[in-house]
Amino acid sequence: MRNLLFYKYVEIADPERFREEHLTLLRQLNLKGKVLVAHEGINGCITGTEAETEAYKQALWADERFADVEFKEGLTNEHGFRKTIVRVKSEIVASRTTVTLQNKAPYISPAELKAALDNNEEVILLDARNNYESRIGKFNNALTPDITVFREFSSYVESIEHLKDKPIVTYCTGGIRCEKASAVLKEHGFTNVRQLHGGIIKYGEHVGAAHWEGTCFVFDTRGSIHIDPAQQSELITKCAHCNLPADAYYNCALVNCDARFIACEQCATQLEQHCSKQCRNIHGKRAALRARTV
Ligand SMILES: [Zn+2]
Ligand SMILES: [Zn+2]
């Protein structure tokens, strides 16, 4: 199975109509995943066999609006999604700001960034992702905003205005959030901003895991990937139960706890995906009570 991650900021005049046609295309090709559509463009992550994903790439490239779409590809053992969803949104990356994409920063290529870091040049790496993403993997010494959704990014930027004349490179998974993140920085008066072209995924593919630690969070069923396809990185997070290296997130199976925690597979199974023994016990008692009352 192959996984495709892609985006394109381009005017889509009729997102509703686009949604219908695109859903038909995805279903015809037997693909699963999620594509967001807005007036400002598309953002997708889909999985299918090699032939199915190849046919999809050709179909998208045949549309002149998407002729230059770049796909980030990965391998997966199974479909990364259970459903096929195309959703119309007001933005493909929810910023809730009036950021103007024309203000986006120029790109820096993975090779250029690696060279700058190899040479100890002054570069401030700024992670444009959410806190739970940067927690399991990030560039060494990167700034990692404590945000849980991208729309909080612009208030984070206000807290680093003392860095506005420093050389800053923003990065995210595949590049889509950096188009807006870099524009937000420039609109806040930052003067020396670039964005990592193709994001972490292309960096790992092109130059490996140098200057990187941990894994890269992904929004499909894989959960995370090693950024260098040729070698595994050491994990930087630990299982909440046994303290062994782990990077898989779970949501506590006790619904009114719902805490997000990291666990190894063994502990997750043993504790039936609860964040603590306490939660499992509460859940267990309730189940027993339900069983008695039936
Ligand atoms: Zn464990
Ligand atoms: Zn819990």
Side-chain angles (χ1 to χ4, degrees), residues 252-264:
C252 183
L254 182 66
V255 175
N256 45 1
C257 170
D258 201 37
R260 194 200 290 265
F261 64 99
I262 290 174
C264 72

Side-chain angles (χ1 to χ4, degrees), residues 146-214:
D146 187 16
I147 60 175
T148 54
V149 283
F150 182 73
R151 60 176 181 271
E152 295 168 357
F153 185 80
S154 67
S155 50
Y156 168 80
V157 167
E158 285 163 23
S159 73
I160 55 161
E161 275 178 356
H162 58 286
L163 301 173
K164 72 178 176 33
D165 294 316
K166 297 281 187 187
I168 291 185
V169 172
T170 68
Y171 69 90
C172 63
T173 318
I176 184 170
R177 283 176 276 187
C178 282
E179 306 275 358
K180 285 192 179 176
S182 65
V184 168
L185 285 161
K186 288 179 67 187
E187 288 175 13
H188 275 79
F190 285 72
T191 57
N192 191 351
V193 184
R194 280 177 296 173
Q195 51 169 324
L196 178 58
H197 195 203
I200 299 157
I201 298 203
K202 286 285 176 194
Y203 181 91
E205 245 171 52
H206 290 179
V207 299
H211 310 288
W212 177 265
E213 58 197 51

Side-chain angles (χ1 to χ4, degrees), residues 241 250-261 268 271-288 290:
H241 302 301
Y250 295 89
N251 280 89
C252 183
L254 182 66
V255 175
N256 45 1
C257 170
D258 201 37
R260 194 200 290 265
F261 64 99
L271 285 165
E272 294 159 341
Q273 294 195 20
H274 291 88
C275 74
S276 64
K277 285 184 178 145
Q278 204 184 355
C279 277
R280 191 190 51 181
N281 290 344
I282 296 172
H283 207 165
K285 275 182 200 142
R286 279 191 201 154
R290 270 201 302 277

Side-chain angles (χ1 to χ4, degrees), residues 239-244 263-268:
C239 171
H241 302 301
C242 73
N243 246 7
L244 285 175
C264 72
E265 222 181 310
Q266 205 183 341
C267 290

